[in-house]
Amino acid sequence: NAGVTQTPKFQVLKTGQSMTLQCAQDMNHNSMYWYRQDPGMGLRLIYYSASEGTTDKGEVPNGYNVSRLNKREFSLRLESAAPSQTSVYFCASSLRDRGNGYTFGSGTRLTVV
Amino acid sequence: GEDVEQSLFLSVREGDSSVINCTYTDSSSTYLYWYKQEPGAGLQLLTYIFSNMDMKQDQRLTVLLNKKDKHLSLRIADTQTGDSAIYFCAETPESNSGYALNFGKGTSLLVTP
């Protein structure tokens, strides 16, 4: 079982470049999420998709866009990367039943120079 | 919004018990979670407790919930060096659609031989 797969694992971008972080889950989960993790800040929600066809902003959406391509895939796009977006990005998914919690991917470490 | 609060660091000796504390914000949270993050990895669900419970035990892990004070704790018995990691407390307020979790900033547990 793959669970939640994120690609790439590492990326270095120059300021102003764009890129898309990919996320796919094979657990038939309904909801998917993108978080960023920064030292001393914990995890902050960027965007989420409660179900296929819907997306909503989280706590820190500025500078990002998302696409819920189908039930399995939820991508995060940086249109014009900035150094403030240097972070570790985690994708997660969950069933509608909250008791199952989230399943997390292993993260993408992004550096913007 | 309000933050889920955790102490940032805890150091214990191998074989001792560890207690990690958390104060959450929303009394409507029906599930409360503990996640573990090892270096370079994503978050792994350790355990959860339903809000109508005040204690849950799972092998070496004991979760205590004081709903009146909105206080959650995780006790790890016979702590091992492999328990060294960051531990995150998380709540799921009913107001959050899509079951988005609010995470604390994490407690770094260091277990010394």
Side-chain angles (χ1 to χ4, degrees):
Chain A
N1 288 335
V4 177
T5 302
Q6 290 185 236
T7 55
K9 293 192 184 304
F10 301 95
Q11 183 71 49
V12 178
L13 289 179
K14 293 183 179 180
T15 298
Q17 285 186 316
S18 61
M19 81 161 293
T20 300
L21 281 65
Q22 306 288 350
C23 175
Q25 52 91 8
D26 62 1
M27 297 169 288
N28 203 34
H29 283 176
N30 294 302
S31 302
M32 297 185 73
Y33 313 83
W34 277 104
Y35 282 85
R36 60 178 289 175
Q37 184 179 29
D38 302 291
M41 300 294 290
L43 282 91
R44 293 181 291 170
L45 182 65
I46 304 170
Y47 271 93
Y48 66 96
S49 170
S51 60
E52 187 179 356
T54 69
T55 61
D56 286 284
K57 294 179 180 179
E59 183 186 351
V60 288
N62 291 344
Y64 306 95
N65 284 301
V66 290
S67 295
R68 182 75 183 266
L69 304 169
N70 47 54
K71 192 171 186 180
R72 291 186 64 247
E73 298 173 287
F74 188 39
S75 62
L76 178 71
R77 182 159 178 83
L78 287 70
E79 290 290 351
S80 178
S84 61
Q85 294 178 304
T86 293
S87 187
V88 181
Y89 291 85
F90 288 102
C91 177
S93 67
S94 69
L95 285 172
R96 284 202 173 275
D97 178 356
R98 300 178 188 208
N100 287 304
Y102 284 4
T103 301
F104 277 86
S106 57
T108 296
R109 187 172 297 273
L110 175 68
T111 302
V112 183
V113 298
Chain B
E2 295 178 67
D3 292 337
V4 175
E5 299 284 348
Q6 299 178 239
S7 53
L8 293 182
F9 300 103
L10 177 65
S11 180
V12 300
R13 290 199 173 185
E14 190 173 20
D16 288 350
S17 292
S18 308
V19 179
I20 301 171
N21 293 300
C22 169
T23 302
Y24 60 98
T25 65
D26 195 320
S27 56
S28 70
S29 291
T30 50
Y31 289 95
L32 295 141
Y33 301 92
W34 284 103
Y35 283 83
K36 177 183 180 182
Q37 185 181 32
E38 295 182 353
L43 279 72
Q44 172 194 359
L45 178 63
L46 267 184
T47 188
Y48 67 92
I49 189 167
F50 189 56
S51 61
N52 69 352
M53 300 167 66
D54 51 21
M55 186 181 89
K56 181 179 180 180
Q57 188 147 5
D58 183 1
Q59 299 182 341
R60 292 191 296 122
L61 305 178
T62 302
V63 179
L64 295 178
L65 174 61
N66 180 329
K67 202 172 175 184
K68 174 177 167 289
D69 294 336
K70 291 186 279 187
H71 185 264
L72 185 72
S73 68
L74 174 70
R75 178 178 182 269
I76 306 172
D78 186 25
T79 314
Q80 303 297 307
T81 54
D83 294 323
S84 292
I86 303 175
Y87 291 81
F88 292 90
C89 162
E91 62 175 358
T92 308
E94 289 290 334
S95 57
N96 282 11
S97 60
Y99 310 103
L101 301 186
N102 289 342
F103 287 88
K105 290 182 171 53
T107 300
S108 290
L109 174 64
L110 176 65
V111 183
T112 56

